[in-house]
Amino acid sequence: MHDNLLNNLNPEQQKVVKHTDGPMIVLAGAGSGKTRVLIYKVLYLMEAKHAEPEDILMVTFTNKAAREMKERIDSSIHAGGKPMITTFHSLCAKILRIDGQHAGLSNSYVIYDGQDQLDAIKQAMEKLGVSPKEFRPQALLGAISDAKNQLLSSQEYLTFARGTFQVTAAKVYIMYQKILTENQALDFDDLLLVTVNMFQKNPEVLAKYQNRFKYILIDEYQDTNRAQYVLTKLLAKKWHNICVVGDFSQSIYSWRGADFQNLSRFKDDFKGTKTFALSQNYRSTQKILDAASAVIAKNTSHPVLELWTENEQGENLKLYEARNEQDEAMYIMNFLAPLH
């Protein structure tokens, strides 16, 4: 049956699916069918490599993407177990429900959402006498979130803090964590931070998950932050059967700690990494691809994919120089309005 799977893929995609052993990077251009490739790769692992579904972990960034991939894979599996297809945060939440006692957690811990976090920040500020007029609670929460994504504990952040804002944020961080602990609560950033710390301090717990996940696939790797990167590195350390998919040029989450250079570091951490490219585009016309390539071709900080398509050449592009982001948004809205 796996031969039928491959018949539905182009030559570049087939190479990615068929390479199953060892670390690999897949540079996937926009509209290159990478979601399809990941789904087929999971199915190929089970059919051609006879991997048990429970041996496979696929991680993506949004619940929607994880849900769609899970539905498409589950529809092709008629019996037996299912691969774990999830987000980073959901994965860590499940791990901590099972083994959180090693991190001093009850398995009934609660997860604070955005409003809960903001309320806890305000409570911490009130306890410390920090005025919300002088320091915006949302800004302090953002600084704390950035610190956690860099795997900095409250005490470590205080050590590195410089300037009035950072020092204040560090003090609020300490009190904020105390409030969370008193309520047996974690915020979203804690899910990764606590899991990584637990793995690093408890090798036997890490080994449990390393042994389980023999094949790891991670989507949108250019948007991983330090916590996600370290977590990935820990989980894949035993088997090294890890496939990461990404595109340097599509990194959009630097504002929340994402570092596209994680794609480059991957080769240093996993020796013998094979690199593949998905350059055929199924979504756009060639003129759009040429224009996009012209914009990013000058970038010397990372490899740039040369995208191509079998689609038609398409219409010439129009250039509009907007005054600001509001003007840009209004132009797009006015342009699209007659089309509906």
Side-chain angles (χ1 to χ4, degrees), residues 92 95-107 109 177 181 184-186 190-202 204-205:
C92 291
I95 290 172
L96 292 175
R97 291 288 181 205
I98 298 169
D99 289 299
Q101 70 272 16
H102 296 282
L105 279 177
S106 162
N107 59 10
Y109 72 88
Q177 269 330 102
T181 301
Q184 276 290 304
L186 300 179
D190 281 327
L191 293 172
L192 278 84
L193 174 62
V194 174
T195 301
V196 169
N197 286 340
M198 179 180 71
F199 281 163
Q200 291 174 331
K201 294 176 182 177
N202 298 274
E204 71 284 357
V205 180

Side-chain angles (χ1 to χ4, degrees), residues 87-147:
T87 64
F88 278 106
H89 293 91
S90 294
L91 171 65
C92 291
K94 290 171 185 170
I95 290 172
L96 292 175
R97 291 288 181 205
I98 298 169
D99 289 299
Q101 70 272 16
H102 296 282
L105 279 177
S106 162
N107 59 10
S108 60
Y109 72 88
V110 297
I111 301 174
Y112 274 13
D113 63 18
Q115 187 57 55
D116 293 329
Q117 293 174 53
L118 200 55
D119 290 343
I121 287 290
K122 291 176 180 178
Q123 185 181 348
M125 292 173 66
E126 185 176 353
K127 286 179 177 289
L128 294 170
V130 176
S131 170
K133 293 182 179 179
E134 189 174 358
F135 298 96
R136 288 179 54 247
Q138 193 69 53
L140 293 172
L141 179 58
I144 293 169
S145 176
D146 288 344

Side-chain angles (χ1 to χ4, degrees), residues 89-327:
H89 293 91
S90 294
L91 171 65
C92 291
K94 290 171 185 170
I95 290 172
L96 292 175
R97 291 288 181 205
I98 298 169
D99 289 299
Q101 70 272 16
H102 296 282
L105 279 177
S106 162
N107 59 10
S108 60
Y109 72 88
V110 297
I111 301 174
Y112 274 13
D113 63 18
Q115 187 57 55
D116 293 329
Q117 293 174 53
L118 200 55
D119 290 343
I121 287 290
K122 291 176 180 178
Q123 185 181 348
M125 292 173 66
E126 185 176 353
K127 286 179 177 289
L128 294 170
V130 176
S131 170
K133 293 182 179 179
E134 189 174 358
F135 298 96
R136 288 179 54 247
Q138 193 69 53
L140 293 172
L141 179 58
I144 293 169
S145 176
D146 288 344
K148 290 185 178 184
N149 286 332
Q150 292 297 320
L151 297 177
L152 293 175
S153 68
S154 56
Q155 291 297 332
E156 288 171 329
Y157 185 57
L158 181 61
T159 301
F160 291 112
R162 296 292 182 272
T164 304
F165 176 80
Q166 283 192 350
V167 170
T168 301
K171 293 177 180 177
V172 172
Y173 183 1
I174 293 171
M175 181 60 69
Y176 171 72
Q177 269 330 102
K178 183 179 179 182
I179 292 169
L180 291 181
T181 301
E182 289 172 350
N183 289 282
Q184 276 290 304
L186 300 179
D187 63 21
F188 287 112
D189 299 312
D190 281 327
L191 293 172
L192 278 84
L193 174 62
V194 174
T195 301
V196 169
N197 286 340
M198 179 180 71
F199 281 163
Q200 291 174 331
K201 294 176 182 177
N202 298 274
E204 71 284 357
V205 180
L206 172 59
K208 172 182 173 180
Y209 293 95
Q210 286 177 332
N211 289 330
R212 175 179 174 181
F213 299 128
K214 295 179 182 177
Y215 296 95
I216 299 175
L217 301 89
I218 301 180
D219 195 12
E220 308 291 2
Y221 205 67
Q222 77 280 351
D223 286 325
T224 53
N225 58 35
R226 175 166 173 74
Q228 292 160 337
Y229 179 77
V230 172
L231 178 68
T232 299
K233 185 176 166 184
L234 288 169
L235 286 174
K237 191 173 183 179
K238 178 175 182 178
W239 301 104
H240 285 206
N241 294 326
I242 177 169
C243 169
V244 300
V245 180
D247 181 1
F248 290 95
S249 301
Q250 293 188 63
S251 182
I252 60 174
Y253 289 113
S254 59
W255 55 272
R256 70 177 188 192
D259 185 356
F260 70 85
Q261 293 293 355
N262 284 342
L263 271 173
S264 298
R265 296 187 186 100
F266 185 88
K267 289 185 177 182
D268 296 328
D269 290 322
F270 294 97
K271 302 303 180 185
T273 294
K274 303 289 186 182
T275 301
F276 299 81
L278 299 179
S279 57
Q280 182 175 357
N281 180 283
Y282 292 91
R283 186 185 302 160
S284 304
T285 63
Q286 189 62 52
K287 286 189 176 180
I288 289 176
L289 298 180
D290 290 343
S293 296
V295 171
I296 62 177
K298 306 295 184 186
N299 199 318
T300 58
S301 65
H302 59 75
V304 176
L305 282 171
E306 293 185 15
L307 302 180
W308 63 277
T309 184
E310 292 180 345
N311 297 339
E312 60 187 21
Q313 285 292 308
E315 299 178 12
N316 290 330
L317 277 66
K318 296 179 180 179
L319 179 64
Y320 177 76
E321 186 173 354
R323 295 188 300 274
N324 50 45
E325 60 269 28
Q326 289 82 14
D327 181 32

